[in-house]
Amino acid sequence: LPDGSLIFASELRALRCHPRAPTTVDHVGLRRLFTYDFIPSPRTILQGVRKLEPGTVIHWQNGHLDAPHRYWRMPPKTDDLDARTAPPALWKAIGDAVESRLVSDVPVGFFLSGGLDSTAVVAAAAERRDAASLDTFTVGFEDASFDESEPARAVARHFGTRHHETRLDEAAALNRVPELGALLDEPLADPSVLPMSLLADFARKHVTVALSGDGGDELFLGYPTFAAHAVAEAAARLPAALREHLIRPLAHLIPVSDKNWSLDYQLKRFIDGLDHGAWERHFVWIGGTAPRAHQALFEPAVLAAASREPLFADVDAAMKETTGTDLDRLGQLYARLYLADGVLQKVDRATMRVALESRAPLLSTAVLSVAARIPATLKLRGLGPMARAK
């Protein structure tokens, strides 16, 4: 505060209980929310309130606040593993991480989507415990394009876990919307918070701790946007007039679909991203409202206030700490912003609301260190050689 005093708390709602806590909306943070679907730290939704960035500590003494000190960074890239040596090193690191996170005096379960990341966590646990004693949890959807319940069931059958499944239908989703404000503390626009909150509620009826596969897509380049990176680099070299007056109108001729990752949605998002740099376009692809729509979305005074800082300053700052090839750096960028400030915030809010502890073995320092030693060329082709070697 201006007089040198400090107000701090673990959550924004707790901080706001102080009578002198700021209450004015930060327009820069608001525009970040509409762009990214979350507000990257250190900024928040309120003027004068800041979050500590991951891996940092700050000292305050006698009215003086030091600059944040970073005590941990992502391991530097070395790429000294290959298709022969990476599988055993990675599998051991995952197994050790899962083993340590199974230690508990309360029941432990697993979030299971059927994807490679959560499947790997369950597989590692099944090597160390009787699979029939493991509880796995999945949320299904009525819309088949969103539904991953069948792959999850197949994984559960393969290992023989005690599988539990619930479904999120339209009525259940609508009933949960009014609860989201209290659940999230700070605004978060990721719609997957709805199934995440349902999954946490459902799992908490059976267990007190749940292991997840969070971090796998960032560490091992699992998002489709990583594969789109090279295509975008080539497409961005096309004349801007050609993209704007030919390709964009053609994209809008594709029939609109409400399916997950529909062709029209992917193409329109891809083209919107070409308005921006190689790193920034990724947050147009996976984020909320494309920046080109902000002129119509915000009042002129709000947009002017929100534009005091470059929209993608957080991307620029994060990229300065990345190492390796372009794809390696993208994975680290996603981990710093999308994972830390978006995905993990969502999971933490949903699980802590029902007193369910979430643990992420793939984010152990040992797994992170091994991931830094694996070349991006192995990761982007889906870890096929590694999966077979395992």
Side-chain angles (χ1 to χ4, degrees), residues 192-206:
S192 66
V193 70
L194 277 170
M196 185 68 241
S197 67
L198 177 64
L199 181 61
D201 288 356
F202 181 56
R204 184 62 183 87
K205 295 174 182 177
H206 304 269

Side-chain angles (χ1 to χ4, degrees), residues 237-319:
R237 289 192 285 269
L238 294 173
L242 179 63
R243 299 200 311 265
E244 189 65 27
H245 301 297
L246 178 60
I247 299 177
R248 189 183 296 277
L250 287 175
H252 283 271
L253 293 177
I254 298 175
V256 174
S257 171
D258 59 1
K259 300 301 181 183
N260 188 33
W261 272 124
S262 62
L263 177 60
D264 69 293
Y265 175 84
Q266 291 185 58
L267 187 54
K268 290 169 186 174
R269 278 281 164 158
F270 181 82
I271 295 170
D272 283 341
L274 298 182
D275 293 339
H276 304 277
W279 318 122
E280 293 84 356
R281 68 172 63 108
H282 281 260
F283 293 90
V284 177
W285 290 343
I286 66 174
T289 306
R292 65 168 33 235
H294 289 187
Q295 200 76 32
L297 181 64
F298 295 106
E299 290 286 343
V302 173
L303 186 60
S307 302
R308 291 193 306 268
E309 293 183 13
L311 182 57
F312 293 105
D314 305 283
V315 175
D316 294 338
M319 285 302 299

Side-chain angles (χ1 to χ4, degrees), residues 160-212:
T161 67
R162 290 194 302 246
H163 192 54
H164 311 267
E165 183 178 314
T166 187
R167 299 191 74 77
L168 181 66
D169 56 24
E170 183 178 348
L174 289 174
N175 288 336
R176 284 183 174 269
V177 169
E179 305 173 6
L180 293 183
L183 174 120
L184 292 174
D185 184 55
E186 184 175 61
L188 179 71
D190 184 348
S192 66
V193 70
L194 277 170
M196 185 68 241
S197 67
L198 177 64
L199 181 61
D201 288 356
F202 181 56
R204 184 62 183 87
K205 295 174 182 177
H206 304 269
V207 298
T208 310
V209 175
L211 275 62
S212 75

Side-chain angles (χ1 to χ4, degrees), residues 150 152-161 163:
E150 179 49 44
R153 272 184 237 121
V155 172
R157 284 195 301 268
H158 176 77
F159 291 108
T161 67
H163 192 54

Side-chain angles (χ1 to χ4, degrees), residues 18 41 45 87 99 104 108 120-121 127 147 167 188 193 209 233 237 242 260 284 303 316 326 354 357 385:
H18 194 285
S41 55
I45 194 64
E99 175 70 39
S104 175
V108 178
V121 172
E127 285 189 351
D147 189 39
R167 299 191 74 77
L188 179 71
V193 70
V209 175
E233 287 290 270
R237 289 192 285 269
L242 179 63
N260 188 33
V284 177
L303 186 60
D316 294 338
D326 281 0
V354 293
E357 180 186 342

